[in-house]
Amino acid sequence: MAEHILELDGIKKSFDKTQVLKGIHLSIQQGEFITFLGASGCGKTTTLRIIAGLETPDEGKVFLNGKDVTGLEPNRRNVNTVFQNYALFPHMNVFSNIAYGLRLKRLPKKEIVKKVEEILELVQLSGYEKRMPFELSGGQKQRVAIARAVVNNPQVLLLDEPLGALDLQLRRQMQIELKRIQKRLKITFIYITHDQEEALNMSDRIVVMDNGQLEQVGTPNEIYYHPRTSYVARFVGTANILSGRLTRVEDGIAWVEVVCQSREPAVLVRAKLTAAQAEKNQLGQIKPGQKVSMAVRSENILLEKEAGPGLRLSVIEKNFAGGMLRICLDGGLQGELVSSRQGMDSAFQAGDRITAYWEPEHGILVDLE
């Protein structure tokens, strides 16, 4: 068996004169749950269609279990796809929908029955064999679609925003179910979404894409706590991006001058260097005086009424969203900044002058890699 179940080697793709993929290199291991995360138009669905064989790259190759499958038709690749719209056969009951691929393989009837019963139990739909698609809820239809895709034991299962049509509560429930199924079957899942919550909850690794390129590939922890670019910091979670000038690095801490108001003096804020950044600093690739960008997650910005070390800002407004209270701050030249916390209210009011600060480990230098 090859070291990697799937490899994308220099994949490029254009439609008309628009380059959609700009040289994708990625290796995926057997049994990984990989999520491609990005805004609409970033190239994630085109990448999935190339893996499935539904599109042909202009340049580059696709390797499945060490074999070059770039030119193979979809039905000659051991890859199945689950779509957002379920794509169930409306004239077939649940059993027949799931058994369809097994019948094409001309497996014995008893073996088909056994496999379908096993997969129905796995997706918690035992007893639904005779129901027609129109008799099922959205979540049940999606489970049937997943069952039909995995019953053939593909090497890779592609999921193109499969939960997008479900309501929030059911979507969260299905996230748990999908992860359970994936771990049970040990099949490589490649999941496409623009929903950062899905990506963070389900993935072994996340591939963040933007404008046809891979911005960052890493574990959910790495993507969230150590974003390499301002795009990743903003797209995954809520991050404030501050621009400033590096003054010095001491004991792995970068000191950065930040100006919020043109008539006010610069304020020194701090960020902890990652291991890769510390190595760059030792090589002289991070130098005092250079312009840098710093990301700070909204939940890590602390506020105090009294003046002190930090940024002196004015409160613009407060609003409540997703279980978090958001306090919007006027960052002047830095734009609007956001501090968030659990709860419904705080003592701060619009117009208040406050001090915003954070611990050094919560400051992240970005766009240096």
Side-chain angles (χ1 to χ4, degrees), residues 62-112:
V62 179
F63 293 92
L64 183 62
N65 202 22
K67 179 182 178 182
D68 185 353
V69 298
T70 312
L72 290 184
E73 297 176 355
N75 61 353
R76 298 181 62 194
R77 307 182 186 201
N78 193 9
V79 173
N80 279 348
T81 306
V82 177
F83 298 99
Q84 180 177 328
N85 63 356
Y86 318 128
L88 301 180
F89 299 116
H91 61 288
M92 294 184 184
N93 62 21
V94 168
F95 182 94
S96 296
N97 263 283
I98 298 173
Y100 182 78
L102 301 175
R103 285 170 173 162
L104 289 180
K105 291 182 176 181
R106 301 184 181 279
L107 295 182
K109 185 176 180 179
K110 288 185 178 180
E111 186 175 347
I112 291 175

Side-chain angles (χ1 to χ4, degrees), residues 287-300:
K287 301 177 181 178
Q290 76 180 75
K291 293 182 179 179
V292 294
S293 295
M294 179 187 298
V296 186
R297 296 288 179 195
S298 63
E299 65 268 26
N300 292 326

Side-chain angles (χ1 to χ4, degrees), residues 178-195:
L178 272 176
K179 187 65 177 176
R180 179 183 62 82
I181 291 169
Q182 190 264 341
K183 289 301 182 185
R184 173 91 173 266
L185 296 176
K186 296 182 174 59
I187 293 174
T188 301
F189 276 28
I190 300 179
Y191 194 93
I192 303 295
T193 187
H194 61 270
D195 186 324

